[in-house]
Amino acid sequence: PHSVKNLEGVRIHSVAAGQRHTVLLAVSGCVYTFGDGSQGQLGHGDNIGCSLPRLVATIRPGKHVEAMTGKVSHMMQVKAVAAGGYHSLVISTDDGLMTWGRE
């Protein structure tokens, strides 16, 4: 085992593993993803994979941005992350659900 260099100083609260990707929830509420992105499951607005965790820019503590329009729709604090075969999910503290990737 070794530390993930680009996450040094980031405290991780929870981890979810999909078929070929991983979702991390930081204590700060930031969400990071890495692995296979071929079905959009990383939430970076493309279908490109990445080998190191990358911040999901549309999910920031206290803010939710619509992925398709870029419009801020409501405040959001993430409390949990989950992953399926080719999709990812976050649950907010007000029990809202946001998903991305293949159904």
Side-chain angles (χ1 to χ4, degrees), residues 4-76:
V4 179
K5 296 292 182 191
N6 69 325
L7 287 179
E8 285 184 4
V10 177
R11 294 178 52 217
I12 300 300
H13 176 269
S14 58
V15 177
Q19 177 117 6
R20 296 175 57 194
H21 74 291
T22 303
V23 184
L24 308 171
L25 174 58
V27 170
S28 67
C30 290
V31 176
Y32 297 84
T33 59
F34 63 105
D36 175 34
S38 63
Q39 304 297 315
Q41 66 268 44
L42 298 183
H44 301 299
D46 57 31
N47 292 343
I48 300 170
C50 55
S51 59
L52 292 173
R54 182 174 154 201
L55 180 68
V56 178
T58 56
I59 300 175
R60 298 285 180 111
K63 180 171 81 170
H64 168 67
V65 179
E66 292 292 334
M68 300 303 274
T69 65
K71 179 181 175 184
V72 175
S73 62
H74 67 278
M75 303 306 275
M76 178 182 203

